[in-house]
């Protein structure tokens, strides 16, 4: 029977070796993973803004499209991205901003794109969510997201905010909620409105 | 031929006797998925596409071979009381290593496999082989065992992935095979129930081909 000291020593050496190995691996892959994360963000911004790009484009191609068409700006305490086509006359077609907030199970994050009037939604994407697959998780589907295009972010009396609820698509600032995902929809509405209020008040 | 003989001596009769048995056991007679029905969680979750299945199979082969090798190398030095913790530490190291490489060089796939690569740490096949085989056997034999079991898992995954993708979307590796007016993709095959049907049928066919287990009648 080997002693306690040996057992502790063994655990210590094994643990340290594994940790060192993984640290080295992580150091080595960090630049690649960062580049992937950046490309993912760029892809989401381009999708929300409906900037045309080739399907299945590589990370570098996406970055090229992004750098050619999109300009990063500060607006109050928000970072926004303005879309003015490379072959246009410098006119801003649309802007996109980040929104985030707690979902039902975990953080939900995404991009909201507005037309140049800053009152009409152009599109939106979610790049992080852990909602229930098949219910709240349906927020990432085209069916749900495409409802937002063309909707106003203010109601008839010019009050900022959108509505996500059953039958909401009849409102100028509303879309249909997902059945069985009321909690997720409420929370998505809250986080969108937080961003929308900021945009409207920062005029 | 003389060289072969020498090789056999140095590895303890590997090419003739135990090595072959180990390979056959892992991939066929004791196939981890079809016979022992282990590790079916990932087999159900990631097999909706052939490509996903192949990458998952490769991940398991990598982890199984790596962890078996190191558990076997350390088997005479590992204190018995903490052997399982040591095994998990070694397995986790290999899994995280594979996950990091996937995230760096195969981002799309990493997104699709989601948490299932990380969950290989808890895959009973890997832990089971380390505990049942690598702890008692020399390194080279343990590598063979890891290879055979990983291969046994990967092949079943590929078969399930192939049929689920084909029947569920009409495609194989993203290329359209069944299309046109005569075939409507059967969506249920790429959803959870399809995984259960496919796995059940594969296990049934596998067992029918293998014949009844001689030990069961004793």
């Amino acid at each position: 029977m080997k002693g306690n000291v040996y057992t502790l020593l063994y655990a210590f050496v094994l643990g340290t070796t594994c940790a060192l190995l993984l640290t080295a691996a992580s150091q080595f892959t960090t630049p690649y993973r960062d580049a992937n994360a950046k490309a993912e963000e760029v892809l989401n911004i381009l999708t929300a803004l409906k900037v045309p790009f080739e399907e299945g484009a590589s990370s570098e191609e996406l970055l090229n499209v992004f750098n050619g068409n999109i300009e990063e700006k500060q607006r109050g305490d928000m970072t926004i991205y303005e879309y003015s086509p490379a072959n246009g006359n410098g006119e801003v077609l649309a802007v996109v901003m980040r929104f985030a907030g707690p979902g039902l199970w975990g953080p939900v994050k995404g991009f909201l794109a507005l037309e140049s009037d800053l009152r009409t939604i152009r599109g939106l994407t979610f790049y992080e969510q852990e909602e229930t697959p098949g219910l709240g998780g349906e927020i990432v589907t085209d069916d749900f997201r495409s409802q937002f295009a063309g909707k106003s972010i203010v109601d008839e009396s010019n009050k900022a905010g959108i509505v996500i609820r059953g039958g909401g698509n009849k409102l100028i600032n509303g879309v249909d909620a997902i059945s069985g995902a009321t909690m997720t929809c409420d929370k998505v509405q809250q986080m969108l409105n937080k961003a929308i209020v900021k945009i409207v008040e920062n005029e | 031929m003389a060289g072969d003989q020498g090789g056999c001596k140095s590895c303890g009769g590997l090419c003739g006797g135990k090595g072959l048995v180990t390979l056959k056991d892992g991939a066929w007679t004791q196939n981890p998925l079809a016979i022992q029905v282990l590790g079916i969680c990932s087999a159900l979750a990631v097999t909706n596409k052939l490509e996903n299945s192949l990458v998952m199979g490769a991940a398991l082969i990598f982890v199984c071979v790596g962890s078996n090798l190191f558990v076997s190398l350390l088997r005479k030095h590992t204190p018995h009381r903490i052997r399982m913790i040591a095994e998990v530490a070694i397995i986790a190291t290999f899994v995280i290593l594979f996950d990091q490489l996937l995230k760096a060089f195969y981002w799309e796939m990493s997104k699709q496999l989601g948490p299932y690569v990380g969950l290989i740490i808890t895959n009973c096949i890997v832990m089971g082989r380390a505990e049942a085989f690598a702890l008692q056997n020399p390194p080279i034999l343990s590598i063979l065992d890891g290879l055979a079991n990983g291969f046994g898992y990967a092949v079943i995954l590929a078969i399930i992935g192939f049929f689920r993708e084909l029947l569920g979307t009409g495609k194989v590796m993203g290329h359209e095979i069944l299309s046109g007016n005569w075939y409507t993709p059967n969506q249920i095959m790429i959803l959870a129930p399809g995984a259960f049907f496919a796995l059940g049928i594969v296990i049934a066919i596998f067992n029918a081909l293998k014949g009844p287990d001689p030990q069961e009648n004793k």
Side-chain angles (χ1 to χ4, degrees):
Chain A
M1 192 70 193
K2 285 163 178 165
N4 290 338
V5 178
Y6 177 82
T7 305
L8 280 174
L9 202 69
Y10 179 91
F12 179 76
V13 172
L14 184 72
T16 315
T17 317
C18 291
L20 283 177
L21 244 166
L22 289 181
T23 313
S26 162
Q27 288 285 333
F28 168 68
T29 54
T30 300
Y32 299 99
R33 281 184 292 135
D34 286 352
N36 287 333
K38 177 75 187 161
E40 178 80 14
E41 182 179 286
V42 163
L43 179 72
N44 271 288
I45 293 177
L46 295 181
T47 311
L49 282 172
K50 300 192 175 139
V51 178
F53 60 89
E54 273 177 51
E55 189 136 339
S58 71
S59 308
E60 294 92 59
E61 285 163 351
L62 284 176
L63 265 177
N64 280 338
V65 175
F66 181 79
N67 290 332
N69 294 287
I70 313 288
E71 203 180 333
E72 192 176 326
K73 289 218 171 127
Q74 287 294 322
R75 188 190 173 94
D77 58 344
M78 263 191 305
T79 311
I80 59 166
Y81 301 88
E82 289 184 350
Y83 170 37
S84 48
N87 50 5
N89 49 8
E91 187 193 2
V92 175
L93 275 188
V95 298
V96 72
M97 82 210 69
R98 218 179 277 273
F99 64 86
L104 179 56
W105 301 120
V108 174
K109 295 176 185 170
F111 286 102
L112 172 68
L114 300 176
E115 303 288 356
S116 52
D117 65 356
L118 293 185
R119 287 291 179 272
T120 314
I121 298 178
R122 188 175 172 94
L124 86 170
T125 57
F126 295 94
Y127 65 90
E128 195 182 315
Q129 59 90 12
E130 299 165 27
E131 301 310 288
T132 323
L135 294 173
E138 297 289 295
I139 54 172
V140 300
T141 58
D142 281 343
D143 279 349
F144 179 70
R145 291 189 299 115
S146 59
Q147 295 186 82
F148 286 87
K151 288 289 176 181
S152 167
I153 60 168
V154 291
D155 65 9
E156 282 93 343
S157 56
N158 231 11
K159 194 169 165 295
I162 57 148
V163 180
I164 305 177
R165 66 157 188 248
N169 58 347
K170 292 184 194 82
L171 303 168
I172 60 162
N173 63 333
V175 296
D176 261 340
I178 299 162
S179 313
T182 311
M183 296 281 279
T184 299
C185 288
D186 284 353
K187 290 182 188 236
V188 168
Q189 178 183 323
Q190 275 170 27
M191 67 187 80
L192 280 172
N193 283 342
K194 222 171 77 187
I196 286 170
V197 166
K198 263 188 190 174
I199 273 284
V200 173
E201 283 176 356
N202 263 336
E203 295 273 276
Chain B
M1 292 312 267
D4 281 358
Q5 297 263 315
C8 271
K9 252 177 216 160
S10 69
C11 61
L14 201 60
C15 15
K18 233 178 156 188
L20 269 181
V21 176
T22 307
L23 276 175
K24 196 182 164 209
D25 264 358
W28 180 248
T29 35
Q30 293 295 325
N31 185 296
L33 255 181
I35 306 299
Q36 302 182 56
V37 199
L38 293 175
I40 59 167
C41 171
S42 53
L44 294 168
V46 303
T47 48
N48 52 1
K49 275 190 194 159
L50 179 57
E51 199 182 357
N52 295 7
S53 312
L54 292 177
V55 173
M56 193 68 185
L60 202 98
I61 293 175
F62 172 78
V63 173
C64 224
V65 169
S67 66
N68 261 11
L69 169 64
F70 280 90
V71 168
S72 173
L73 281 174
L74 293 170
R75 71 190 189 282
K76 290 186 179 133
H77 310 286
T78 310
H80 190 70
R81 274 182 294 172
I82 60 161
R83 71 181 192 290
M84 289 189 118
I85 301 172
E87 285 161 18
V88 172
I90 294 169
I91 293 167
T93 307
F94 279 98
V95 171
I96 298 172
L97 212 59
F98 192 90
D99 196 29
Q100 300 248 342
L101 291 175
L102 210 58
K103 280 200 175 107
F105 301 109
Y106 206 173
W107 174 247
E108 283 301 309
M109 181 53 65
S110 169
K111 266 196 303 182
Q112 289 194 26
L113 292 179
Y116 290 101
V117 175
L119 283 174
I120 296 177
I121 297 174
T122 60
N123 192 312
C124 334
I125 301 173
V126 187
M127 187 82 185
R129 290 335 287 173
E131 182 74 10
F133 197 93
L135 270 182
Q136 282 95 37
N137 289 286
I140 299 177
L141 215 52
S142 297
I143 292 180
L144 278 184
D145 182 70
L147 206 62
N149 278 279
F151 184 73
Y153 172 88
V155 167
I156 303 280
L157 239 67
I159 295 172
I160 300 174
F162 174 80
F163 282 107
R164 283 185 70 191
E165 190 181 353
L166 183 69
L167 299 176
T169 63
K171 295 175 181 170
V172 171
M173 297 291 280
H175 300 291
E176 196 123 46
I177 303 285
L178 300 175
S179 62
N181 309 325
W182 63 278
Y183 187 75
T184 310
N186 187 354
Q187 287 251 317
I188 200 171
M189 286 309 290
I190 52 171
L191 300 175
F196 282 99
F197 293 140
L199 183 65
I201 292 169
V202 166
I203 291 179
I205 294 176
F206 204 94
N207 278 279
L209 285 179
K210 193 185 139 264
D213 190 345
Q215 287 181 345
E216 235 161 55
N217 299 330
K218 277 178 192 169

